[in-house]
Every structure is written in structure tokens, then in C-alpha cells.
């Protein structure tokens, strides 16, 4: 008789506990077949601050901040998908909504505070005092690896943050980051005065140090060594050419728009180079003074943010499609929470995590314009709720990752998506 070891026992117990925590109807409706899409790359657009869903992808009857009448801030317009409307400032995206699904019923129960909700929407879990969970980007590159050996698997175009990191998976599955598109990551550029010959001597010296030190099994040292090797591989001119946006046609660069649009253009170039997962941050607060966190007067010029998103997103979809990359590239738009229909004392909006919208585009999915339904004020979900684990499972399935798999933080089994179930409708043939 085989006696299970501790890891096997914990893994079995975790799965059993997860199954028991589900209602009988949920267990009965759980899909038997593992859903798997065809996306090879993910471009994740992060709208830091909290995108108001009823002012963008889930419009309702128009409100009035002066009269404190709850409702949308803008008029709604029709899209190419019958019965699906979006905000008037998403006019270009409206024309490509047949390649898009606005998931209008995303929800979480995390306190409506930016840091906690940002962590939730990057790791799929609440903050834990004992485990640092990996981000969605790290999960995908851990399971899929780089799409090209000559490219980093994970690039962040924005400011570094632990919520984007690899958590217990280790530094090997972390990100390479840059904060502007005018140049590549500073860490991959040789300082002035370091010639190719001098670099070669340094690498030879490093190699001799490794040999003299002998082998090690210390995970932190192995991770550090992997990071050095990847940096050396990517520090040459070949990879850095991907950041030379001036090689793109002027009319295409102009169609993408300003700095955020150029970030989206760079993300397409990184996909072509073989990067598996790219996060593009849209945190350009100067456009309206507050970014997507539209309390008080920040909402007055919110339309500038929406228009910038609209221009870049629609162009990115068309550009990827023209290069036959759209079915291979899943575009994901997330934010920490939505915003309520009512207006605060300054005419802006507060925070709302109980129902909000995230967006999927491309990736070979069977798009339907919109999925899920909220009530007349976009406050309560009335059809097809999608938890954060469900949304993560959908992204993982689309990217060919086994969302039912267990990872291990030491000996502790950790379900990859916290037992999420993908939106099966999007995988219909």
C-alpha cells in the first residue's frame, strides 16, 4: 500500500476542499472539458485608478451631476454588434466591437481601496500575510515560457510594482520594465565607455568566478544567475531595435496617438519579437489631472482619457489584424474597480468593486460585444456574474494555460486561478 507524502496529501486536500466549497448546482455545471484557446501572446492594458464602467463599456441612462441624478456622464452610441452600446467617446472602438467582449459583470469583494484592489486584479487573490502570490503575467510566462529565446517573456511598460511580480515563483518569472517609449530599458544599455571588447573581458571574468565558486542549489542565487544570463543575452543591439519606433510609418504612429498610443504600438512590436506577456499602463494623469480616479472635478475631462484609450485600442486591434496577429494575441483591459452611478459632492464618482467591466479583444475568442448584465444603474449584476478567478481562468484558457493546475509555494499547493471557471461562451466554435 502506498502512503501519500505531505505534498500529495495537501494537493488532494486542497482540490477536495475546493470542490466541497462549491454548491451542488455549480459542481454539476462545471465544464468537464478543459477549455483551451490559441493565443500565443497577451497584451494587458492597465487602467490605474478605476475606470468607470457606466461611462465607458456599460452605459446607462444619462445622469446629471449638478442635480445629483445618478446615471452615465455621457451619451451612449451603437456599435457594430446589434444591441451593444458604448460611451460616445469610444466611437472608434464601437466599429470593431465584433472583435471585442466587454465583460460587464466582473466583481470582487475586496475593500474599495486602490492598493488592495490593484493587488487583487493583478494576482487574482486577496493579500496574504504568508504567501506572495504571482501576477497574471508571471503565471502565464511560468506555464508558457518565452515565445522566442531572443526576447524576454514578460515586459512591463510602466512603473515596477510588487503586484506585477512573480511572487513565490521566483525572479526568473519577473518582468523587464521601461517607463517611456523613447528608449529601451536602461539596464540593457551599456554605459558609455564600455566597448564590446571590454564587455567581453567582463563576461570572461564572470565566467571564471562562476567556475571557482562551484555549483549551488540556493534558489535565490540560481534566480540571480538566470537574471544575469538573460540581461547579457538581451543587452545587444539586436533586441534593442524593437524600441526604435521611428522605424514605423509616420501615419501609423499618428493613428496610435500620444504616449499611451506609442506604448500600445511598442507592445505590438514586442509581440512580433516574441514577448509572451506585455503590460501597458495607462496612468497619464496630466490629461485630466487625476487619471481614472475621477473623484470631484477629475471627471470633467475624463473624456480625454476615454478618447485616448479609444484611439489606441482601435488602432492596436486593426494593426494586429492587418499583420495577422490578432487571433494570436489576446488584448486584456483591466482596472481595480468600477465607479458608482451616483455623484459625490464635487460631481465625481467614488469606488465600486461589486460590479464593473473588464475587456477582452482578439486572441481567437468567439467575441460577442458584451457579456454579463448589470441593472439600470450598473450597481447590481443581474446575469452571468464573473468573479476575478473566473476572469483569470478565461485569460489563462485563451492563452493555452491549464487553469485547473496546482502550483506550489514550497510544499503548499496553490490552485493556479483560485479555482476559477472560464467564460465558456467565448470558446464556442
Amino acid at each position: 500500500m502506498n502512503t501519500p507524502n505531505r505534498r500529495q496529501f495537501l494537493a488532494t486536500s486542497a482540490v477536495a476542499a475546493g470542490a466541497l466549497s462549491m454548491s451542488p448546482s455549480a459542481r454539476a455545471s462545471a465544464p468537464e472539458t478543459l477549455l483551451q484557446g490559441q493565443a500565443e501572446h497577451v497584451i494587458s492594458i492597465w487602467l490605474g485608478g478605476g475606470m468607470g464602467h457606466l461611462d465607458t463599456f456599460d452605459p446607462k441612462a444619462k445622469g446629471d451631476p449638478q442635480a445629483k441624478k445618478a446615471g452615465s456622464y455621457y451619451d451612449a452610441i451603437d456599435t457594430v454588434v446589434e444591441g451593444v452600446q458604448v460611451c460616445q467617446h469610444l466611437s472608434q472602438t464601437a466599429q470593431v466591437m465584433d472583435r471585442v467582449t466587454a465583460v460587464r459583470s466582473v466583481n470582487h469583494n475586496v475593500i474599495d481601496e486602490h492598493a488592495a484592489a490593484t493587488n487583487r486584479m493583478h494576482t487574482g487573490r486577496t493579500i496574504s500575510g504568508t504567501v506572495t502570490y504571482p501576477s497574471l503575467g508571471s503565471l502565464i510566462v511560468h506555464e508558457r515560457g518565452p515565445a522566442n529565446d531572443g526576447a524576454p517573456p514578460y515586459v512591463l511598460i510602466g512603473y515596477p510594482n510588487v503586484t506585477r511580480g512573480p511572487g513565490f515563483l521566483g525572479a526568473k518569472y519577473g518582468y523587464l520594465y521601461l517607463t517611456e517609449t523613447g528608449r529601451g530599458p536602461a539596464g540593457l544599455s551599456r554605459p558609455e565607455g564600455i566597448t564590446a571588447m571590454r564587455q567581453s573581458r567582463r563576461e570572461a571574468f564572470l565566467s571564471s568566478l562562476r567556475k571557482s565558486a562551484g555549483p549551488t542549489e540556493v534558489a535565490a542565487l540560481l534566480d540571480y544567475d538566470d537574471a544575469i544570463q538573460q540581461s547579457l543575452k538581451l543587452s545587444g543591439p539586436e533586441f534593442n531595435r524593437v524600441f526604435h519606433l521611428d522605424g514605423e510609418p509616420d501615419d501609423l504612429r499618428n493613428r496610435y496617438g500620444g504616449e499611451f498610443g506609442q506604448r500600445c504600438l511598442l507592445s505590438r512590436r514586442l509581440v512580433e519579437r516574441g514577448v509572451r506577456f506585455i503590460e501597458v499602463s495607462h496612468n497619464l494623469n496630466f490629461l485630466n489631472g487625476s487619471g481614472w480616479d475621477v473623484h470631484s472635478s477629475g471627471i470633467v475631462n475624463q473624456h480625454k482619457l476615454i478618447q485616448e484609450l479609444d484611439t489606441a485600442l482601435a488602432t492596436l486591434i486593426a494593426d494586429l489584424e492587418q499583420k495577422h496577429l490578432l487571433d494570436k494575441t489576446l488584448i486584456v483591459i483591466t482596472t481595480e474597480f468600477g465607479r458608482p452611478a451616483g455623484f459625490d459632492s464635487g460631481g465625481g464618482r467614488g469606488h465600486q468593486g461589486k460590479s464593473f467591466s473588464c475587456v477582452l479583444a482578439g486572441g481567437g475568442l468567439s467575441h460577442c460585444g458584451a457579456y454579463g448584465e448589470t441593472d439600470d444603474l450598473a450597481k447590481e449584476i443581474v446575469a452571468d456574474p464573473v468573479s476575478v478567478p473566473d476572469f483569470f481562468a478565461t485569460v489563462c484558457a485563451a492563452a493555452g494555460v491549464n487553469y485547473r493546475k496546482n502550483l506550489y509555494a514550497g510544499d503548499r499547493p496553490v490552485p493556479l486561478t483560485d479555482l476559477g471557471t472560464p467564460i465558456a461562451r467565448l470558446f464556442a466554435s
Side-chain angles (χ1 to χ4, degrees):
M1 179 177 177
N2 293 326
T3 302
N5 60 32
R6 181 171 180 265
R7 175 176 290 194
Q8 291 168 331
F9 174 77
L10 289 171
T12 303
S13 299
V15 173
L20 289 172
S21 67
M22 299 169 66
S23 67
S25 60
R27 289 198 297 272
S29 62
E32 294 295 324
T33 304
L34 189 73
L35 298 174
Q36 195 165 33
Q38 60 187 19
E40 293 293 326
H41 311 272
V42 177
I43 297 174
S44 177
I45 297 174
W46 173 248
L47 307 183
M51 176 190 74
H53 51 305
L54 76 170
D55 291 335
T56 51
F57 290 96
D58 191 11
K60 305 296 180 181
K62 199 170 180 183
D64 183 350
Q66 299 298 322
K68 294 295 185 288
K69 176 187 175 185
S72 291
Y73 202 77
Y74 310 109
D75 292 326
I77 58 172
D78 292 332
T79 71
V80 294
V81 179
E82 186 177 357
V84 175
Q85 292 189 316
V86 293
C87 149
Q88 68 185 91
H89 298 298
L90 290 170
S91 58
Q92 294 185 52
T93 303
Q95 299 306 307
V96 293
M97 282 299 287
D98 54 337
R99 288 86 133 186
V100 177
T101 301
V103 184
R104 293 172 166 174
S105 52
V106 181
N107 64 92
H108 63 63
N109 57 4
V110 176
I111 183 174
D112 288 337
E113 181 274 326
H114 292 285
T118 296
N119 178 81
R120 177 69 157 155
M121 294 304 298
H122 276 85
T123 67
R125 290 173 166 86
T126 54
I127 296 172
S128 166
T130 58
V131 177
T132 303
Y133 293 106
S135 65
L136 179 61
S138 293
L139 287 172
I140 288 176
V141 301
H142 178 268
E143 295 302 301
R144 295 295 310 272
N148 185 321
D149 285 341
Y154 180 8
V155 172
L156 169 65
I157 308 176
Y159 291 99
N161 188 287
V162 67
T163 64
R164 278 79 163 173
F168 64 75
L169 294 177
K172 182 178 179 180
Y173 303 103
Y175 51 76
L176 178 73
Y177 81 93
L178 65 151
T179 56
E180 57 182 281
T181 55
R183 58 179 181 175
L188 296 185
S189 302
R190 293 178 192 157
E192 289 186 24
I194 304 297
T195 64
M197 183 177 293
R198 191 173 177 187
Q199 178 69 20
S200 180
R201 289 201 303 268
R202 289 183 168 194
E203 291 179 24
F205 180 56
L206 178 61
S207 178
S208 65
L209 283 176
R210 284 199 183 103
K211 291 177 182 177
S212 65
T216 180
E217 294 184 1
V218 178
L221 293 177
L222 293 172
D223 281 346
Y224 183 68
D225 196 51
D226 284 340
I228 291 175
Q229 289 300 105
Q230 186 181 74
S231 296
L232 291 173
K233 184 167 61 176
L234 300 175
S235 61
E238 183 182 352
F239 176 69
N240 274 278
R241 276 195 287 270
V242 75
F243 301 102
H244 297 170
L245 299 184
D246 53 5
E248 295 287 340
D250 288 343
D251 65 325
L252 179 62
R253 293 192 65 183
N254 291 335
R255 286 203 304 275
Y256 268 101
E259 171 61 19
F260 173 66
Q262 300 308 297
R263 292 180 180 195
C264 290
L265 172 57
L266 176 56
S267 72
R268 189 221 80 206
R269 290 171 63 88
L270 289 167
V271 163
E272 289 179 304
R273 194 64 179 81
V275 177
R276 180 74 68 187
F277 190 99
I278 304 116
E279 179 179 306
V280 182
S281 290
H282 186 205
N283 53 0
L284 308 179
N285 293 346
F286 58 85
L287 285 176
N288 66 333
S290 64
W292 293 98
D293 194 20
V294 291
H295 299 284
S296 301
S297 61
I299 201 170
V300 174
N301 288 316
Q302 177 187 220
H303 64 279
K304 295 182 179 180
L305 286 177
I306 301 170
Q307 289 167 347
E308 184 172 61
L309 172 65
D310 178 50
T311 297
L313 176 60
T315 304
L316 178 60
I317 290 171
D319 192 13
L320 287 168
E321 190 167 51
Q322 191 273 328
K323 293 183 178 296
H324 306 289
L325 290 170
L326 186 60
D327 283 345
K328 298 178 182 178
T329 307
L330 179 69
I331 301 170
V332 182
I333 302 177
T334 54
T335 189
E336 37 292 43
F337 35 57
R339 312 196 82 86
F343 298 97
D344 61 28
S345 59
R349 301 192 193 276
H351 301 166
Q352 177 178 297
K354 65 189 298 185
S355 70
F356 59 104
S357 296
C358 294
V359 179
L360 300 169
L365 296 177
S366 298
H367 289 290
C368 51
Y371 180 87
E373 185 181 349
T374 57
D375 64 11
D376 290 344
L377 293 178
K379 181 179 180 180
E380 303 291 339
I381 296 169
V382 298
D384 302 316
V386 176
S387 69
V388 176
D390 292 341
F391 189 79
F392 269 45
T394 304
V395 174
C396 286
V401 171
N402 182 353
Y403 49 90
R404 295 181 188 162
K405 181 177 179 179
N406 273 344
L407 301 176
Y408 288 88
D411 282 339
R412 176 177 176 178
V414 179
L416 192 138
T417 63
D418 205 15
L419 304 177
T421 300
I423 303 170
R425 164 69 179 78
L426 299 181
F427 295 85
S429 57

